Amino acid sequence: MLGNFAYCNPTKLYFGDESLKYLNTELPKYGANVVLIYGGGSIKKNGIYDEVVKILKENGKNVAEIAGVMPNPTLEKLYEGVEIARAHKADLLLAVGGGSVCDYAKAVSVSVNCDEDPWEKYYLKFEEPDCEIVPVGCVLTMVGTGSEMNAGAVITNRETKMKIGHVFADESVMPRFSILNPKYTLTLPHYQMVSGIYDIFNHICEQYFSGEDDNTSDYISEGLMRSVINSSRIANKDPQNYEARSNIMWTATWALNTLVAKGKSTDWMVHMLGQAVGAHTDATHGMTLAAVSLPYYRHIMPYGLAKFVRFAKNVWNIDTAGKTDEQIANEGLAAMEDWMRELGLVMNISELGANEEMLEAIAGSTIVMTGGYKTLEHNEIVDIFRESL
Ligand code: NZQ
Ligand code: ZN
């Protein structure tokens, strides 16, 4: 392992079908004023809202709400939430929902006591918080982003058509605790379930397709990828299968809780391409990644051939006998494509609302990362989007 690093993850996890009861363990650690944050109403339909509110009441909490956090939360919504949390003098922000709600809670947490404009400070200048951060706790209902155990918070500025993620270096932005009950994910529509599954897989890819050294993280990543592939196939046929859904939930957390990024460079270019598509279409995050992935990976494959060969062998069990490295690598990506089609993922950006006329603008809002096997030029980005149409 070539890198120098410190490792610490302060988020306490409670996992399993009885994990909500541990909210009773956590709530007494914080003051009385809780802001309950949730999305467009799924938690009211499936009963999670009632269960959480009951526990909050039993613990004597004074609860305000921020409801209606949309998928791909917006800057306007962030401003609104900051006002609510300030007025309520929040001691704890309790996010109940998916990555959007958890990310949003973190963005509010670093903005409540900050005098500067959060978009300017955190998303344009990428500064770290220098104010008191309001603690965040999560009850996760949608699996994929890893937001439950990381310091990422993605916000969309609809006015400037920029969707930007800030992964804060400050560990205190990570949720203090997260409750992971796989049963809560059983009401997800199939579209969201498979979108989340691809998000998990791609988080691992983003950290795997980089670097040349022999690195423990890559071995962990291969194990995580094999687990996601196995469980996703079961869940795709039988969405109510608790064993598969629980493995998917746990894998999602480990795919993006900083562990497998340690000691190596990381790529993240699929996310930059996907986020640019998302900024222009408001499409579901995991689907934006699925739609651009294969054109991207086929484009960079020659620059990181050895890793793509390893991916084919160790993740997809491609038989290598008598084949060239290019053939093996291509067969690995073909196996990945078959799996993606089997899940029913969206495989092109036209289906997400993008068209030829938008390509230059989408490419213009794509942030270029330098940690992968090839730093993309503008024309390569346009070409990848065109191949993704
Ligand atoms: O809003 P409600 O009504 O709750 O419905 C949501 C939403 O429509 C629904 N849902 C969630 N749990 C459900 C459910 N429906 C039925 N039953 C349940 N149990 O699912 C829809 C999608 O939810 P959302 O939170 O938007 O999905 P996801 O978890 O994929 O989060 C996406 C956001 O996270 C960001 C993305 O960019 C996007 O903004 N990301 C955050 C990351 C991080 N913190 O590290 C990394 C990721 O790469 C990603 O960028
Ligand atoms: Zn993602």
Side-chain angles (χ1 to χ4, degrees), residues 80-379:
E80 180 195 316
V82 169
E83 288 312 314
I84 295 171
R86 276 184 190 152
H88 194 60
K89 297 192 169 35
D91 297 310
L92 174 71
L93 304 173
L94 184 61
V96 184
S100 293
V101 175
C102 298
D103 275 21
Y104 175 85
K106 286 180 247 174
V108 172
S109 79
V110 294
S111 306
V112 173
N113 297 313
C114 174
D115 297 331
E116 295 160 73
D117 177 66
W119 180 254
E120 186 80 21
K121 182 176 175 67
Y122 300 128
Y123 294 93
L124 295 180
K125 296 194 202 148
F126 279 90
E127 289 176 5
E128 287 296 308
D130 39 26
C131 59
E132 198 187 325
I133 299 166
V134 182
V136 170
C138 299
V139 177
L140 196 66
T141 67
M142 152 88 198
V143 168
T145 64
S147 187
E148 65 276 13
M149 204 183 190
N150 70 37
V154 185
I155 294 293
T156 298
N157 184 332
R158 282 195 182 154
E159 209 178 303
T160 60
K161 292 204 185 315
M162 293 298 289
K163 179 177 182 183
I164 301 181
H166 187 159
V167 181
F168 289 90
D170 188 338
E171 285 147 14
S172 39
V173 181
M174 292 181 178
R176 300 293 169 92
F177 65 90
S178 284
I179 291 175
L180 311 183
N181 183 341
K183 274 196 173 161
Y184 290 168
T185 69
L186 296 177
T187 54
L188 277 168
H190 182 265
Y191 189 88
Q192 290 297 339
M193 178 185 81
V194 294
S195 169
I197 287 169
Y198 190 70
D199 194 20
I200 304 169
F201 190 81
N202 190 255
H203 291 158
I204 309 168
C205 290
E206 299 275 33
Q207 298 163 97
Y208 180 77
F209 288 115
S210 53
E212 312 285 347
D213 59 326
D214 187 43
N215 192 308
T216 300
S217 292
D218 290 334
Y219 296 86
I220 301 172
S221 289
E222 286 164 358
L224 291 172
M225 286 193 268
R226 294 174 75 95
S227 174
V228 178
I229 295 162
N230 181 55
S231 300
S232 67
R233 286 190 157 132
I234 298 167
N236 193 39
K237 290 203 191 92
D238 176 15
Q240 299 301 306
N241 186 307
Y242 180 86
E243 188 179 27
R245 300 298 291 269
S246 61
N247 280 314
I248 292 168
M249 190 169 216
W250 192 230
T251 316
T253 305
W254 287 93
L256 195 52
N257 70 353
T258 74
L259 177 77
V260 298
K262 290 300 174 198
K264 60 177 303 193
S265 56
T266 52
D267 183 357
W268 294 108
M269 205 51 224
V270 169
H271 271 65
M272 296 306 108
L273 297 164
Q275 274 173 211
V277 172
H280 287 259
T281 60
D282 200 26
T284 298
H285 172 66
M287 293 307 189
T288 65
L289 308 177
V292 300
S293 281
L294 285 161
Y296 173 72
Y297 287 128
R298 289 187 171 126
H299 185 83
I300 64 156
M301 195 187 79
Y303 304 93
L305 188 59
K307 187 56 83 59
F308 281 91
V309 169
R310 180 174 163 171
F311 177 68
K313 286 198 269 194
N314 295 356
V315 178
W316 298 103
N317 302 322
I318 299 299
D319 177 10
T320 58
K323 293 173 191 159
T324 65
D325 282 355
E326 282 79 6
Q327 281 171 328
I328 298 165
N330 273 319
E331 284 188 29
L333 289 177
M336 173 171 145
E337 178 168 358
D338 287 347
W339 169 70
M340 292 170 75
R341 291 191 187 282
E342 180 186 329
L343 292 187
L345 293 163
V346 175
M347 303 296 278
N348 57 68
I349 59 174
S350 339
E351 254 182 80
L352 300 174
N355 58 41
E356 175 76 37
E357 289 72 56
M358 294 161 74
L359 294 190
E360 275 295 334
I362 299 177
S365 18
T366 305
I367 296 168
V368 177
M369 306 299 274
T370 56
Y373 288 123
K374 169 78 176 74
T375 302
L376 297 183
E377 306 290 340
H378 178 80
N379 62 321

